[in-house]
Amino acid sequence: MRLRSPEVGLGEHDSPGEASSRRAVLGTAALAGLVAGLPFFRGLFRLGDALGSPSKAQDAKILQLVLQLEYTQVALYEQALDQAGLDGELRAFAEAALAHEREHVAAIRKALGANAGSKPTFDFGSRIKSAEAFRQAAIDLEDTAVAGYNGQATNLTKATLGAAATIVSVEARHAAWVRAIAGEVAAPDAVDTPMTAEQVARSLRELGMRTQ
Amino acid sequence: MNGFPHFDQFLTAVDRDAALAETSSRAEAALSRRGLLGITLGAVGAIVFGKTSVAEAGAGLPASDVDILNYALVLEYLQASFYTEAERSGALSGATAQAVKVVGATERAHVKAFRELLGSRAVARPTFDFQGVTEQQRPFLRTAVAFEDLAVEAYKGQAPKVRSNAVLAAAVGIHSVEARHAAWMRELFGITPAVNAFDRPASRAKINRIVASTHFIVSRPRMKARNKPHFTG
């Protein structure tokens, strides 16, 4: 039985795959309209917490940061699906999360246009060699993604904040999902603690990001 | 779902991916392998506002932020009351009962933080009638999924409208916690915790319409300050 409601346009969701790709297009368009054509900013990870007033230029800088997060997620899930011997719900999680992170990368890259940072290289080491190790790495990375997006909320223009908010809650869902699979508390804090750009960069390096 | 007159209407309105109609309990045991020990619920105000006292942070808020905080407070009242009632009903078991302790404590912490921040400007807690859904595990979980997905949409809709950075930091930190709750309740109910790559926001009008359709709120919240009798001595 499927529940439908004209009020919220459930018809869009008749096919989950189709709904998902349509959503991706909307997300991409929303982001692309905001920061397209801005110059490339170096020193991505040197963003402080207290940045200047929000501006489109600053939005671009922050989008470069979260792009690195998304690249790391895509790489971890791709490599783990190949090498970590995932099965059952953990495999289903990795497949679903990978599809979402790819859509996030596409949306952010489109928003940044030609200035989008290129994909780093990764060496995840033992983190992709067993299901248990991958599970812990996924928890660390998804928690970092939530903290990284949240940490930049007050630095973004309101329009980009709105677009970023459509992504961060999906990262939070991933974090809770993989924590639940691991038998851990899915939502351990009453408020998620934010991370600075520098903390995010350190965390990504610890997980295996090598170059940018 | 007979016996819950407005319940199906509510779920129909909220159920985005039609997955709520599926029934599977495969995930209900997922959390039972390890206990839920070691939970620390830090004082929300302290996390969010650091060394600034909550009262100080609240004093200079723009009127529009006060309005948004009161809107969020009503949603938090709704959730806190819902989980507290479910916990007290004794009808929940296993991983669900454990999760509800954590989530309920979190929603109560959100209520407390908003009330402290708003002081005398906080709206009063409405009276709720959950029409029996807190007394059976499956209807409870189904409604919890709907509430949590709704809360994510509501916070997402308001975040770009917040003017104070302190309130925004709080709102985004709570927004992602509500998303964790949504995923957690979905997992316990046995449906996919993260369906789409992007979560949509919802307007206040839409959230209000959906909440009103449940008839779970049986008295309207009022501004506390306006209800206080004037001192006449």
Side-chain angles (χ1 to χ4, degrees), chain A residues 111-170:
Chain A
L112 288 164
N115 303 315
S118 55
K119 191 174 178 173
T121 59
F122 299 93
D123 176 7
F124 295 114
S126 62
R127 291 182 181 84
I128 47 164
K129 302 302 183 204
S130 76
E132 283 77 30
F134 159 72
R135 211 172 58 189
Q136 188 55 52
I139 290 172
D140 292 344
L141 184 51
E142 293 292 351
D143 281 348
T144 298
V146 172
Y149 274 96
N150 280 353
Q152 298 304 327
T154 56
N155 294 326
L156 292 168
T157 63
K158 296 303 186 191
T160 304
L161 170 63
T166 68
I167 294 177
V168 67
S169 57
V170 175

Side-chain angles (χ1 to χ4, degrees), chain B residues 107-130:
Chain B
E107 308 298 9
R108 290 190 291 271
H110 294 167
V111 165
K112 186 165 179 286
F114 286 153
R115 285 183 59 90
E116 280 176 18
L117 187 62
L118 286 161
S120 62
R121 292 167 295 177
V123 292
R125 181 188 298 270
T127 304
F128 297 102
D129 177 0
F130 295 111

Side-chain angles (χ1 to χ4, degrees), chain A residues 1 7 89 104 169 181 190 192, chain B residues 21 33 110 176 197 199 209:
Chain A
M1 183 184 91
E7 184 188 22
E89 194 184 358
H104 297 166
S169 57
I181 291 170
D192 278 324
Chain B
R33 290 189 293 276
H110 294 167
S176 56
D199 276 339
R209 202 162 58 235

